[in-house]
Amino acid sequence: MVDMKKTVLLLACLLMAGIASAGRHWVGTWGTAPQLVENHNNPPSPGLGNNSLRQIVQVSIGGKTVRLKLTNAFSAEATEIKAVELALAKTAGSSAEIDEASTVSLTFDGKASVTMPAKGSALSDPVKFKIGARQNVAITIHYGTASSTSVSGHPGSRTTSYLKAGNTTDFSDAVKTDHWYTIQTLEVEAPEKAGAVAILGNSITDGRGSTTNQQNRWADVLSRRLLANKNTRQVGVLNMGIGGNNVLRGGLGPAAVNRYERDLFGQEGVKWIILYEGVNDLGGSWNGEQTAKGIIDAFKRIIREAHEKGIYVFGATITPFKGNRYYTADHEKGRNMLNDWIRHTKMLDGVIDFDQAVRNPQDDDTLNQGFLFENDWLHLNASGYETMGGCIDLNLFTKKGPLGANDD
């Protein structure tokens, strides 16, 4: 005979569980833009196959339930994953140490192992794993069969990873490499009001000139400011910068016109987008204004598609590069044309004027000398990135109301 009291209690528990999960959704708390890893950035010896790799990421917003996306999108061979663990890391990348008690094992469709086919990916099952805002998370992958010459990853990690032979969790004498491999996105279950901003960018967004293992890219600075503001503390930040990337064609990694659907719209919980790319296109251009027009057309396409999805889009002005080999009077005309459009178009939902924030007050065409990285007159140092992240109006992430126009 059915115990009615137990049945009623079970139904009540299920109802409460449904209420608890109602109004919640997945939001990206950390992510990186994958590409085919260049030969000189491939995993060092002993390689990935049948070995273990511990990688550190610093999340933006916190949560109690997470899931991890792995990528094999650019690999010509299948990648076998025997097991994956998450744990709270004790540093932002300067060591492989973890809080052992925090370790959880991931599953994929209920199994510890998963094989990603060539050009494929894998999404873990949700797991209870409490992380705080800007907390460091160690992702330990134990590989089976895996190539070390056809690898999907992100070379510009600005974070040290630890590679050790065999199936192990002891990384005390591991080989170090400042690159990420296989990992793509970490997502948290968050309240409905939470959302993420996805940033399309190149090396300046990726963090060239920032400090390895200190997580001080301009996107990190923005994230910390958002978290410290009570009206924006539920905004995750997804850095989709790729060093050497172009908007239109060429460069490193897939051009922005070929990756924006994955890197922007393919992210969970995106409510805002920042477009900050184009300097590599302009620097290699035969005609600066023609290249600027091409970038503007590409941005218009992204803006229209974003608006169709109810996503706000902010444009960021291109910072000066006079003194770098990219600079010519013609390329400067293109930069000015692109920046003028960003500042005045009715299509964008907001403007972030990086150009004005970091240029030399005595010479608008050059960077402030106090912000120079290696005197290349293109990339910024940590102080410059602090200024960039600090100049962004946080009210952009609280605005409500209609989206921008779908044409100029």
Side-chain angles (χ1 to χ4, degrees), residues 133-385:
R134 299 305 301 183
Q135 194 149 27
N136 301 308
V137 176
I139 304 169
T140 303
I141 302 177
H142 306 281
Y143 290 88
T145 303
S147 173
S148 287
T149 58
S150 178
V151 184
S152 300
H154 188 86
S157 66
R158 323 295 167 195
T159 308
T160 303
S161 300
Y162 299 85
L163 181 61
K164 186 76 176 287
N167 186 340
T168 183
T169 56
D170 177 9
F171 291 87
S172 56
D173 58 347
V175 174
K176 299 178 181 179
T177 180
D178 291 342
H179 309 298
W180 285 319
Y181 305 108
T182 310
I183 55 177
Q184 182 172 341
T185 312
L186 191 65
E187 300 165 359
V188 294
E189 192 178 54
E192 190 61 38
K193 66 179 180 180
V197 51
I199 306 167
L200 189 72
N202 48 43
S203 58
I204 298 175
T205 296
D206 200 24
R208 179 166 173 76
S210 64
T211 313
T212 298
N213 295 328
Q214 289 192 18
Q215 314 301 327
N216 55 5
R217 312 163 188 85
W218 72 259
D220 298 312
V221 176
L222 170 61
S223 174
R224 293 185 181 98
R225 291 183 62 226
L226 289 165
L227 291 165
N229 184 319
K230 66 178 182 179
N231 296 320
T232 57
R233 62 181 55 164
Q234 289 289 340
V235 179
V237 176
L238 301 174
N239 188 333
M240 295 292 125
I242 294 179
N245 196 238
N246 282 7
V247 174
L248 302 174
R249 64 188 66 85
L252 299 178
V257 292
N258 298 321
R259 70 182 180 95
Y260 75 87
E261 291 187 5
R262 178 200 67 198
D263 291 343
L264 301 180
F265 303 143
Q267 307 296 333
E268 292 290 340
V270 170
K271 295 184 179 181
W272 308 274
I273 286 170
I274 297 175
L275 301 177
Y276 176 48
E277 189 159 12
V279 71
N280 293 324
D281 299 77
L282 292 168
S285 172
W286 292 100
N287 184 310
E289 292 188 337
Q290 182 176 327
T291 298
K293 289 178 182 177
I295 296 169
I296 290 168
D297 286 342
F299 283 178
K300 286 180 178 180
R301 174 175 151 195
I302 295 172
I303 293 166
R304 291 188 190 103
E305 292 186 31
H307 285 172
E308 289 175 1
K309 301 175 187 297
I311 299 172
Y312 290 101
V313 184
F314 311 135
T317 53
I318 305 301
T319 48
F321 52 87
K322 185 178 180 181
N324 185 271
R325 63 182 177 82
Y326 274 179
Y327 181 84
T328 68
D330 176 71
H331 294 168
E332 183 66 8
K333 287 181 181 178
R335 185 177 79 93
N336 288 331
M337 173 185 261
L338 178 56
N339 283 352
D340 185 65
W341 178 82
I342 289 170
R343 290 182 176 118
H344 297 103
T345 180
K346 295 179 180 179
M347 294 185 69
L348 287 165
D349 303 292
V351 176
I352 299 168
D353 206 337
F354 285 150
D355 170 40
Q356 186 176 51
V358 302
R359 66 193 182 197
N360 184 338
Q362 281 73 49
D363 183 358
D364 290 353
D365 295 347
T366 63
L367 284 171
N368 183 319
Q369 285 188 273
F371 298 154
L372 293 180
F373 172 68
E374 295 184 345
N375 289 323
D376 74 355
W377 297 94
L378 174 64
H379 298 98
L380 292 84
N381 57 25
S383 179
Y385 290 137

Side-chain angles (χ1 to χ4, degrees), residues 72-80 115-120 145-152:
N72 205 42
F74 299 93
S75 306
E77 304 172 31
T79 296
E80 180 187 7
T115 297
M116 295 183 289
K119 314 303 180 187
T145 303
S147 173
S148 287
T149 58
S150 178
V151 184
S152 300

